[in-house]
């Protein structure tokens, strides 16, 4: 009876995961979808705790530890997720993803410990071992990789690559798989120490896998590691013949892989190119050459900027990471309203990968109550730039870099960009002339119609607002 | 060889589920707008937190005297819960900002 109820709990869990993912891919239903999946997860977890029986009909014990762990995890997870700043969201997702990977790895570790006690009893463990190794390797790679991605996004870890790194990585993975394959077929108590070598190897591989990939590509990498963790969770499903883990894990594995590819497409690059390209790593030489030929740029004062914008017909605002860092979304909305009152049409041109994650800018501006229909996607915005008087770039750089269109040597060549140079005037707000996240110089800043407005986005916008008010 | 064939036969149910889930996973998010990439990634991240169930089972099965298993299992439960709770809450916070305000 109890097991039947548990089966129903798991069934509900699986269905809510599928429904949740489906609803998450539509803006109107996304939030509800997330809550539905969360509810299904709660049912599946509660069912497992109270109704689970193993093959011999024994229930679970160690309840104190289970509830203790759940309480600690819930408290810490909830607080961390509530307190994290909007700008640090991608790091947080990466961190949580790493936790999931580590969890899958630990399960494999414990199950292996259990099996190694029964070695020599004549039972065959080939299938179980295969799953354990899969879970261990994938989970550990996902954990180590996510930690590096997390470190990179918050600036603690720098890009690091050396010649032949890809080859070394591939060899390392190959050796790990070989040892694992050997152990699956010929495990004895004497060679079971090799298991821990695989564990260490997988952790090391995870680090080396993410290290050379440039910081700007981290969302793609996190999405990929996300699908890895999904597969690692599915391995647990195999191990315990648990359908909800299996469906949930595989679902995320498949959806995550597709999502990764879609994200690459949004940047007009292939996944292979992201993984091997080591963006910003080997291209530093080009960057310095470009800056040498950069030429001069001109600055513009706050009052001049205010004047041009107040008397324009259409102003396009291009937000970027700088806006997010300065937390200037509210004052930006104020500027937009002010210009609107003066009869200036204001639009926001949103590049799909502006900021540190796709959709970053939409989230940020939505927080400041900017209305949906003012946010234009790249293609629509590009059509309007020709008839736009002023483009105000707030802390964006690589997404408006013309090198992506006309410099085949540039590492971002081929990425679709916002073609702001079509507008009559371009005002660029940046804190300094330092290059953007991709580490490359931006020729846009040196064009005659471009003026630089240096300063923190929030401060500059505040001054602009008061200046326009007094006009 | 016979072992492999037996294995496939014995786990055919699971193999069917895996194959169908792969297609379903791809189908379900096929037309997601780029605005939703990050929340979707975050939501999927929370869903693979289902691995917590494995952690609970492994913890609940550990013998009272097997301190290594209890210690590691406890850690697994904590990390898994972090993944689930943190994942869903972060996703909700992201999506909260998408709500339409008239």
């Amino acid at each position: 009876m109890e097991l039947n109820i548990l089966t129903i709990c798991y069934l509900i869990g699986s269905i809510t995961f599928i429904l949740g993912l489906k609803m998450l891919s539509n803006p109107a239903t996304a939030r509800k979808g997330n809550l539905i999946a969360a509810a299904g997860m709660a049912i599946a977890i509660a069912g497992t705790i109270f109704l689970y029986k193993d093959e011999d009909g024994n229930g679970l014990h160690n309840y104190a530890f289970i509830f203790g762990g759940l309480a600690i995890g819930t408290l810490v997870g909830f607080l961390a997720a509530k307190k994290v700043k909007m700008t640090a969201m991608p790091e947080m997702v990466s961190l949580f993803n790493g936790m999931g990977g580590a969890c899958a790895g630990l399960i494999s570790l414990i199950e292996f410990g259990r099996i190694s006690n029964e070695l020599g009893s004549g039972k065959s463990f080939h299938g179980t071992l295969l799953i354990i190794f899969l879970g261990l390797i994938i989970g550990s790679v996902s954990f180590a990789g996510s930690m590096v991605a997390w470190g990179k996004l918050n600036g603690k870890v720098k890009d690091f690559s050396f010649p032949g790194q890809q080859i070394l990585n591939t060899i390392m993975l190959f050796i790990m798989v070989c040892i694992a394959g050997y152990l699956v077929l010929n495990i004895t108590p004497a060679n079971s120490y090799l298991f821990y070598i695989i564990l260490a190897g997988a952790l090391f591989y995870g680090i080396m896998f993410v290290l050379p990939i440039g910081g700007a590509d981290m969302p793609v990498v996190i999405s990929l590691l996300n699908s890895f963790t999904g597969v690692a969770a599915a391995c647990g499903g195999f191990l315990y013949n648990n359908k909800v883990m299996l469906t949930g894990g595989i679902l995320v594995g498949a959806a995550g892989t597709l999502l990764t590819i879609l994200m690459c497409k949004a940047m007009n690059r292939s996944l292979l190119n992201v993984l091997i390209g080591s963006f910003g790593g080997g291209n530093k030489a080009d960057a310095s050459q470009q800056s040498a030929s950069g030429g001069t740029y001109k600055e513009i004062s706050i009052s001049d900027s205010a004047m041009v914008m107040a008397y324009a017909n259409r102003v396009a605002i291009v937000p970027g990471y700088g806006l997010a860092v300065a937390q200037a979304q509210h004052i930006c909305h104020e500027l937009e309203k002010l210009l609107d009152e003066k009869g200036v049409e204001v639009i926001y041109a949103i590049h799909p990968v502006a900021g540190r994650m796709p959709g970053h800018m939409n989230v940020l501006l939505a927080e400041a109550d900017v209305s949906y229909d003012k946010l234009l996607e790249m293609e629509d915005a590009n059509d309007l730039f020709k008839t736009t008087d002023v483009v105000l770039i707030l802390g964006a750089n690589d997404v408006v870099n013309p090198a992506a269109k006309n410099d085949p040597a540039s590492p971002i060549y081929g990425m679709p960009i916002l073609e702001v140079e079509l507008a009559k005037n371009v005002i660029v707000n940046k804190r300094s002339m330092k290059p953007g996240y991709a580490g490359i110089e931006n020729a846009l800043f040196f064009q005659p119609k471009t003026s630089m407005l240096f300063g923190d986005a929030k401060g500059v916008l505040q001054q602009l607002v008061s200046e326009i008010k007094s006009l | 060889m016979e072992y492999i064939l037996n294995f496939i036969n014995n786990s055919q149910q699971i193999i069917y589920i895996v194959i169908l889930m792969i297609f379903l996973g791809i189908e379900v998010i096929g037309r997601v707008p780029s605005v939703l990439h990050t929340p979707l990634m975050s939501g999927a991240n929370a869903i693979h937190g289902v691995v917590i169930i494995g952690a609970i089972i492994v913890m609940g099965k550990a013998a009272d005297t097997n301190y290594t298993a209890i210690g590691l299992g406890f850690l697994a439960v904590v990390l898994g819960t972090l993944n689930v709770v943190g994942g869903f809450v972060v996703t909700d916070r992201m999506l909260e900002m998408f709500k339409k305000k008239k």
Side-chain angles (χ1 to χ4, degrees):
Chain A
M1 179 62 190
E2 284 178 341
L3 276 182
N4 293 340
I5 297 176
L6 182 59
T7 308
I8 293 173
C9 289
Y10 285 167
L11 199 58
I12 295 174
S14 296
I15 294 171
T16 56
F17 294 164
I18 298 168
L19 265 181
L21 268 189
K22 176 87 196 154
M23 292 168 84
L24 268 170
S25 48
N26 184 328
T29 53
R31 198 170 179 205
K32 222 198 230 164
N34 183 50
L35 294 178
I36 286 177
M41 181 74 81
I43 292 172
I45 292 176
T48 310
I49 297 177
F50 296 111
L51 303 171
Y52 183 84
K53 296 260 189 299
D54 65 9
E55 298 88 359
D56 307 326
N58 300 317
L60 299 173
H61 46 282
N62 293 327
Y63 274 111
F65 287 108
I66 294 179
F67 284 116
L70 283 173
I72 295 176
T74 307
L75 192 71
V76 176
F78 187 81
L79 286 181
K82 274 285 177 198
K83 287 201 155 160
V84 63
K85 288 197 206 85
M86 266 341 266
T87 43
M89 280 300 188
E91 280 132 271
M92 211 64 214
V93 174
S94 180
L95 196 61
F96 288 141
N97 181 45
M99 301 293 112
C103 183
L106 283 171
I107 292 173
S108 284
L109 200 61
I110 301 168
E111 283 297 316
F112 183 78
R114 204 171 56 79
I115 279 188
S116 52
N117 289 334
E118 294 179 29
L119 283 179
S121 64
K123 274 199 244 173
S124 117
F125 292 109
H126 301 316
T128 318
L129 275 176
L130 180 68
I131 300 302
I132 288 181
F133 280 118
L134 265 181
L136 178 82
I137 294 176
I138 302 173
S140 308
V141 168
S142 176
F143 166 67
S146 298
M147 290 303 112
V148 175
W150 172 70
K152 277 202 176 195
L153 280 173
N154 63 24
K156 289 198 184 92
V157 179
K158 294 273 162 280
D159 294 356
F160 169 77
S161 61
F162 52 85
Q165 187 164 11
Q166 300 303 335
I167 299 168
L168 186 79
N169 279 359
T170 316
I171 293 175
M172 210 153 66
L173 185 65
F174 181 72
I175 294 177
M176 258 184 334
V177 171
C178 284
I179 300 180
Y182 172 76
L183 277 188
V184 166
L185 297 174
N186 312 300
I187 188 137
T188 62
N191 65 13
S192 59
Y193 70 91
L194 283 173
F195 178 86
Y196 301 101
I197 293 187
I198 295 181
L199 171 64
L203 290 173
F204 188 63
Y205 178 79
I207 296 172
M208 296 310 277
F209 173 69
V210 180
L211 260 187
I213 302 172
D217 286 332
M218 278 306 124
V220 175
V221 175
I222 295 172
S223 176
L224 186 68
L225 294 173
N226 189 27
S227 64
F228 281 5
T229 313
V231 177
C235 289
F238 269 112
L239 213 51
Y240 301 116
N241 197 8
N242 184 313
K243 303 288 190 301
V244 74
M245 284 174 80
L246 192 67
T247 47
I250 296 288
L251 199 61
V252 172
T257 309
L258 177 67
L259 185 61
T260 312
I261 294 170
L262 289 177
M263 280 181 169
C264 290
K265 272 197 187 143
M267 295 191 290
N268 199 18
R269 300 173 60 201
S270 74
L271 183 56
L272 197 69
N273 183 260
V274 168
L275 295 183
I276 298 183
S278 54
F279 206 72
N283 297 299
K284 289 271 151 63
D286 296 344
S288 55
Q289 277 167 12
Q290 278 177 1
S291 70
S293 63
T296 53
Y297 57 89
K298 66 169 186 286
E299 282 192 57
I300 186 171
S301 69
I302 295 276
S303 51
D304 284 349
S305 316
M307 195 74 82
V308 209
M309 285 166 65
Y311 293 103
N313 286 318
R314 181 187 288 140
V315 172
I317 298 178
V318 178
Y321 188 61
L323 182 82
V325 173
Q327 288 290 309
Q329 63 272 36
H330 295 282
I331 186 79
C332 183
H333 181 48
E334 206 171 308
L335 175 74
E336 168 218 322
K337 278 189 294 188
L338 193 62
L339 287 171
D340 211 43
E341 282 163 21
K342 291 202 176 275
V344 182
E345 185 194 352
V346 182
I347 56 165
Y348 291 86
I350 313 284
H351 191 278
V353 295
R356 285 293 181 274
M357 54 182 184
H360 198 169
M361 291 302 125
N362 302 67
V363 172
L364 198 70
L365 291 170
E367 190 194 345
D369 275 344
V370 174
S371 102
Y372 253 4
D373 40 314
K374 287 204 183 288
L375 308 183
L376 296 190
E377 293 198 13
M378 184 172 56
E379 290 82 12
D380 302 330
N382 278 342
D383 289 342
L384 285 181
F385 281 137
K386 270 178 260 91
T387 51
T388 299
D389 304 288
V390 183
V391 171
L392 177 65
I393 298 175
L394 297 169
N397 190 344
D398 298 326
V399 297
V400 293
N401 193 337
K405 252 185 10 188
N406 46 33
D407 178 11
S410 169
I412 60 166
Y413 182 69
M415 179 172 92
I417 54 159
L418 288 164
E419 292 163 4
V420 292
E421 70 270 23
L422 297 176
K424 292 193 188 77
N425 291 290
V426 180
I427 299 175
V428 181
N429 166 239
K430 271 170 72 55
R431 273 177 299 185
S432 66
M433 279 308 282
K434 272 202 276 187
Y437 213 55
I440 46 174
E441 208 55 57
N442 193 337
L444 175 77
F445 303 157
F446 304 107
Q447 282 179 6
K449 65 168 83 160
T450 308
S451 337
M452 306 300 292
L453 184 57
F454 291 114
D456 172 79
K458 196 172 191 170
V460 164
L461 283 171
Q462 272 160 351
Q463 292 173 40
L464 269 179
V465 165
S466 55
E467 194 72 31
I468 294 177
K469 268 186 189 153
S470 64
L471 274 178
Chain B
M1 189 63 199
E2 200 194 331
Y3 182 84
I4 298 174
L5 287 178
N6 269 336
F7 179 78
I8 293 178
N9 192 37
N10 291 336
S11 33
Q12 52 166 309
Q13 211 192 1
I14 282 183
I15 295 172
Y16 269 108
I17 294 180
V18 168
I19 293 171
L20 291 176
M21 277 302 144
I22 292 176
F23 280 100
L24 190 61
I26 292 173
E27 205 55 43
V28 139
I29 65 147
R31 274 186 297 275
V32 57
S34 66
V35 187
L36 279 179
H37 281 176
T38 306
L40 182 63
M41 172 170 90
S42 177
N45 173 44
I47 289 175
H48 72 50
V50 72
V51 70
I52 175 74
I53 288 178
I56 293 174
I57 293 175
V58 97
M59 179 81 233
K61 276 182 171 178
D64 291 334
T65 48
N66 188 348
Y67 298 115
T68 332
I70 289 182
L72 292 177
F74 181 69
L75 191 60
V77 173
V78 173
L79 296 181
T81 318
L82 267 176
N83 186 181
V84 173
V85 177
F88 280 120
V89 176
V90 159
T91 313
D92 190 60
R93 270 194 63 196
M94 280 184 205
L95 292 169
E96 191 181 16
M97 304 186 166
F98 277 89
K99 67 170 177 258
K100 289 210 169 101
K101 287 165 195 159
K102 290 275 142 82

